[in-house]
């Protein structure tokens, strides 16, 4: 999109009030959505809630193909359709809502660096586990991703998506990694996040930013998603302050919606000492 088009879209976004029928679209919650898409969707939901902007979650089997970027989630606000967290943040900022306006330039640069870390490590690890680990691919990814579609379309779509992700892994140097190496990358990412968070309620003190929304989306989803083994979840569970961070955001922003699983609501974090 050109600078002129960007400016035009920003002007339109700023001029329109946030509508009551704003919607976020994602794949089917119960039987289709995968770990990475669930994490990305939850990150956008958390960001919108932190901005106090209501948005209905709508699940569609073809959400990925409805998206303007081919990625989920996407939001439909008035006449605008915007996909993925980064563009959504910019769109919302044009409407006068920002979680990071109070940060200075150094803090904003640091926030962006940590967001890149999460996308480069956690999101990539999720995609690798889904599409490159044979056990997960066979037992979870293929049945879920293909579930809404008839044969042979389901087979074709799985093949195309697997080829796309494996090509991405080759391009970024992940194709020859072992599963243990991927888990180690996740652990290093979590260690860096844990050190940055420290004893603060959020990454930049008392108020959440888009970094908090992004981290919550991925960590919460990892903690509450059943995979073929628990190794990914165990890497996150090593860091108590990250667990407490997820509980804090769940309590502050999602508690009233936690039971709404039929409409794409959240699975609650399990209670008890197993998370410590």
């Amino acid at each position: 999109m050109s600078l002129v088009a960007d400016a035009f879209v920003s002007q339109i976004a700023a001029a329109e009030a946030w509508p009551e029928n704003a919607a976020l679209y994602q794949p089917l919650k119960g039987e289709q959505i995968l770990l990475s898409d669930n994490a990305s969707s939850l990150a956008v939901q958390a960001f919108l809630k932190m901005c106090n902007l209501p948005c209905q979650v709508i699940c569609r089997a073809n959400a990925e193909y409805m998206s303007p970027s081919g990625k989920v989630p996407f939001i439909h606000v008035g006449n605008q359709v915007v996909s993925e967290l980064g563009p959504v943040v910019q769109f919302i900022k044009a409407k006068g809502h920002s979680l990071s306006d109070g940060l200075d330039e150094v803090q904003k640069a640091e926030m962006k660096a940590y967001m890149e870390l999460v996308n480069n490590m956690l999101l990539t690890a999720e995609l690798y586990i889904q599409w490159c680990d044979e056990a997960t691919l066979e037992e979870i990814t293929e049945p879920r991703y293909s579930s809404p579609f008839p044969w042979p379309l389901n087979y074709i779509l799985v093949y195309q998506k697997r080829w796309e992700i494996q090509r991405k892994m080759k391009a970024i140097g992940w194709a020859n990694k072992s599963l243990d190496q991927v888990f180690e990358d996740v652990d290093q990412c979590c260690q860096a996040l844990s050190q940055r968070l420290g004893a603060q309620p959020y990454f930049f003190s008392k108020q959440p930013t888009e970094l908090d929304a992004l981290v919550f989306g991925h960590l919460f989803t990892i903690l509450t998603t059943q995979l073929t083994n628990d190794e990914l979840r165990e890497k996150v569970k090593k860091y108590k302050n990250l667990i407490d961070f997820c509980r804090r955001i769940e309590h502050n922003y999602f508690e009233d919606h936690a039971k709404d699983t039929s409409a794409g609501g959240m699975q609650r974090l399990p209670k008890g000492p197993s998370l410590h």
Side-chain angles (χ1 to χ4, degrees), residues 246-260:
C246 289
R247 291 196 191 281
R248 186 177 303 113
I249 292 181
E250 179 192 21
H251 173 74
N252 290 344
Y253 296 100
F254 286 93
E255 195 167 64
D256 292 340
H257 306 276
K259 296 181 180 179
D260 188 20

Side-chain angles (χ1 to χ4, degrees), residues 87-102:
V88 167
V89 168
Q90 293 304 312
F91 177 76
I92 300 303
K93 186 175 182 179
K95 286 186 168 295
H97 302 274
S98 176
L99 297 178
S100 53
D101 275 352

Side-chain angles (χ1 to χ4, degrees), residues 78-94:
N79 294 322
Q80 304 297 312
V81 178
V82 187
S83 60
E84 304 177 79
L85 179 62
V88 167
V89 168
Q90 293 304 312
F91 177 76
I92 300 303
K93 186 175 182 179

Side-chain angles (χ1 to χ4, degrees), residues 25 66-69 74-83 87-88 91:
Y25 286 80
M66 295 168 63
S67 169
S69 68
F74 67 91
I75 60 171
H76 183 199
V77 180
N79 294 322
Q80 304 297 312
V81 178
V82 187
S83 60
V88 167
F91 177 76

Side-chain angles (χ1 to χ4, degrees), residues 3-235:
L3 293 176
V4 174
D6 277 337
F8 180 69
V9 169
S10 296
Q11 289 176 354
I12 294 176
E16 296 177 345
W18 189 263
E20 294 183 0
N21 64 343
L24 178 147
Y25 286 80
Q26 66 175 35
L28 301 178
K29 182 72 176 178
E31 61 271 26
Q32 181 191 22
I33 196 168
L34 299 177
L35 172 67
S36 59
D37 290 340
N38 201 15
S40 297
S41 179
L42 189 55
V44 174
Q45 291 179 56
F47 173 74
L48 293 173
K49 288 179 181 294
M50 290 169 180
C51 292
N52 199 29
L53 296 173
C55 193
Q56 179 187 6
V57 177
I58 299 177
C59 299
R60 291 285 186 272
N62 62 338
E64 181 179 348
Y65 307 101
M66 295 168 63
S67 169
S69 68
K71 296 181 180 180
V72 289
F74 67 91
I75 60 171
H76 183 199
V77 180
N79 294 322
Q80 304 297 312
V81 178
V82 187
S83 60
E84 304 177 79
L85 179 62
V88 167
V89 168
Q90 293 304 312
F91 177 76
I92 300 303
K93 186 175 182 179
K95 286 186 168 295
H97 302 274
S98 176
L99 297 178
S100 53
D101 275 352
L103 304 183
D104 60 33
E105 292 306 312
V106 173
Q107 290 174 320
K108 288 179 180 178
E110 185 181 8
M111 180 191 73
K112 290 178 181 178
Y114 276 96
M115 292 182 74
E116 284 295 312
L117 175 68
V118 172
N119 286 323
N120 290 339
M121 290 296 186
L122 293 187
L123 177 57
T124 305
E126 291 160 3
L127 291 170
Y128 177 99
I129 291 167
Q130 290 168 183
W131 295 100
C132 301
D133 174 56
E134 291 297 333
T136 306
L137 179 67
E138 181 178 344
E139 296 180 33
I140 296 175
T141 306
E142 288 183 348
R144 290 185 67 84
Y145 190 80
S146 66
S147 63
F149 308 107
W151 189 90
L153 178 61
N154 59 351
Y155 174 83
I156 294 171
L157 292 177
V158 167
Y159 177 84
Q160 289 178 336
K161 190 68 175 182
R162 185 182 187 187
W163 180 85
E164 173 192 331
I165 299 301
Q166 291 182 341
R167 184 181 180 187
K168 172 184 172 70
M169 295 299 156
K170 289 180 181 178
I172 63 175
W174 279 53
N176 294 322
K177 285 194 175 188
S178 68
L179 193 57
D180 286 340
Q181 289 173 319
V182 171
F183 289 144
E184 183 59 31
D185 286 342
V186 170
D187 184 59
Q188 291 179 7
C189 180
C190 289
Q191 183 178 11
L193 291 172
S194 177
Q195 289 175 349
R196 180 59 184 85
L197 180 64
Q200 300 177 118
Y202 301 107
F203 282 96
F204 291 90
S205 192
K206 296 182 180 180
Q207 298 299 324
T209 65
E210 45 263 45
L211 173 62
D212 296 277
L214 178 65
V215 173
F216 171 75
H218 285 278
L219 296 188
F220 186 99
T221 304
I222 289 171
L223 288 166
T224 56
T225 299
Q226 184 66 47
L227 296 175
T228 55
N229 65 65
D230 290 334
E231 190 65 26
L232 183 63
R233 183 185 303 171
E234 291 300 319
K235 294 299 183 185

